[in-house]
Amino acid sequence: MKRLENSECLEDFGEFLKEARLKRDMFQTEVATLAGISQNYYSLIERGRRNVDFVLAVKLCKILRIDISDFIKTHM
C-alpha cells in the first residue's frame, strides 16, 4: 500500500474535487451551499488546507456526481 503524507492526500483530494466541480461548471459557492458549509471552508478543502471527515467527503462527491472509490483507487 502506498504511504501518503497527510498534506499530499489532502491536496490530491482537493484537486479531485476541483476538477469535478469545473467539469460540472459549478461555482464553489454552489457546492458549499449544497453541502451546508461556507464557501471559504470549501475553498480551503479544494486547496488541501482542511481535512474533512468521511461523511462530508462522501457528501461532496455525491454533489459533484463522482465516486469516492475512484479517488481511493487512484491515490491510495
Side-chain angles (χ1 to χ4, degrees):
M1 182 187 301
K2 182 179 175 184
R3 179 161 168 76
L4 292 175
E5 294 298 319
N6 286 346
S7 61
E8 180 183 356
C9 186
L10 295 177
E11 289 170 8
D12 289 348
F13 186 64
E15 186 63 30
F16 178 71
L17 294 175
K18 183 178 181 176
E19 288 175 11
R21 178 179 60 78
L22 293 174
K23 284 181 185 175
R24 303 250 180 266
D25 292 323
M26 294 178 76
F27 294 105
Q28 287 183 343
T29 306
E30 294 173 277
V31 177
T33 298
L34 291 169
I37 60 176
S38 72
Q39 183 276 327
N40 184 55
Y41 185 60
Y42 181 74
S43 173
L44 292 170
I45 294 169
E46 276 195 3
R47 290 185 284 150
R49 303 282 190 246
R50 288 291 179 263
N51 199 351
V52 295
D53 64 30
F54 185 72
V55 173
L56 180 55
V58 170
K59 183 186 276 190
L60 292 170
C61 288
K62 283 185 177 185
I63 290 166
L64 294 167
R65 293 181 275 154
I66 52 178
D67 193 337
I68 197 167
S69 67
D70 291 338
F71 174 77
I72 294 168
K73 287 176 197 172
T74 307
H75 294 87
M76 298 293 164

